[in-house]
Amino acid sequence: MNSELIDQLNVQIGANGLPYTLPIHPNLVHLTIGLFIIGITFDFVGFLFPIQKWVFKFLAITVERSNFFDVGWYNMVGATIITVFTVAAGFYEMLLASPPTDVKSAWGMPAMETMIWHGIGGVILLGMFVGMTMWRGWQRYAWSQDEEVEVQWSYLLAGVSIMFLMFLHGTLGAQLAAEFGVHNTADSLLRLGEDLNTMLK
């Protein structure tokens, strides 16, 4: 973003290109990813519980099938709520990004194209999370009322597919940080010719 526009906001930008020390978006991203993966994983364990029941019995772990489905449901709700803030923080931090224009990523894209695809992907994933949470809620409170199994195979397969999309989307984000140095404090200081041993004490 144009530094004169930022100056008009009276905001002090640090070495990472942000008005705060640690970027918010990458931290929230990992929480989002973790909650989603845990949610789908526990639903898988609950779905396959009869096959694994002997393992829990052998380990003397008292657990009920419904416990796994509870963890799956609450993690999916948590992932969706956190993702709203993750996407918002991502767009705010993207607006403050000043990546180099003469570098291309490992996928052959320049910084702006990578940021646009990463931003679009984040919104699409948020929509998918909302859809998955609604689908999960319908299965929990309507479809499985008289069933022992709370989720359907199609839901679990959709979850695994979304995990693959998250991997591709996360790779774009990693390229922004590692290859373009977006909001990467060490990268910015090196570009300015500063000594990291002195600056990052």
Side-chain angles (χ1 to χ4, degrees):
M1 181 180 258
N2 188 326
S3 60
E4 292 176 13
L5 292 174
I6 295 172
D7 291 341
Q8 288 177 9
L9 294 173
N10 226 4
V11 173
Q12 182 67 33
I13 299 296
N16 63 0
L18 295 170
Y20 36 84
T21 308
L22 296 173
I24 296 170
H25 177 71
N27 292 301
L28 291 179
V29 159
H30 291 93
L31 184 56
T32 290
I33 291 169
L35 289 171
F36 187 86
I37 291 174
I38 289 169
I40 295 295
T41 301
F42 271 78
D43 279 338
F44 256 111
V45 174
F47 190 88
L48 300 172
F49 184 74
I51 299 169
Q52 306 163 56
K53 198 173 183 179
W54 68 271
V55 175
F56 296 113
K57 192 173 184 179
F58 176 76
L59 296 173
I61 300 173
T62 54
V63 67
E64 294 180 25
R65 192 178 209 177
S66 62
N67 298 143
F68 293 108
F69 291 129
D70 289 343
V71 173
W73 164 244
Y74 289 113
N75 273 272
M76 190 59 65
V77 171
T80 302
I81 292 168
I82 291 296
T83 304
V84 172
F85 298 102
T86 302
V87 170
F91 274 100
Y92 174 71
E93 292 179 1
M94 188 168 66
L95 290 172
L96 296 176
S98 299
T101 55
D102 58 343
V103 178
K104 288 201 172 188
S105 71
W107 289 0
M109 293 190 294
M112 184 53 75
E113 191 176 340
T114 304
M115 279 197 295
I116 288 171
W117 279 113
H118 189 63
I120 291 169
V123 173
I124 290 170
L125 280 171
L126 173 59
M128 289 180 170
F129 280 22
V130 170
M132 288 289 284
T133 303
M134 291 170 64
W135 188 6
R136 183 69 177 78
W138 172 77
Q139 289 175 100
R140 181 178 175 89
Y141 295 110
W143 176 77
S144 68
Q145 283 296 313
D146 300 319
E147 301 285 335
E148 204 175 319
V149 179
E150 200 172 286
V151 293
Q152 302 164 320
W153 262 116
S154 53
Y155 170 81
L156 296 173
L157 292 176
V160 171
S161 301
I162 290 173
M163 282 187 219
F164 177 71
L165 291 175
M166 286 166 54
F167 165 74
L168 295 176
H169 182 256
T171 302
L172 289 173
Q175 288 171 353
L176 286 170
E179 297 176 30
F180 298 110
V182 173
H183 304 311
N184 186 325
T185 305
D187 186 88
S188 300
L189 290 172
L190 285 172
R191 272 196 258 148
L192 293 170
E194 300 285 354
D195 179 18
L196 293 183
N197 294 323
T198 307
M199 298 297 292
L200 298 177
K201 280 188 176 181

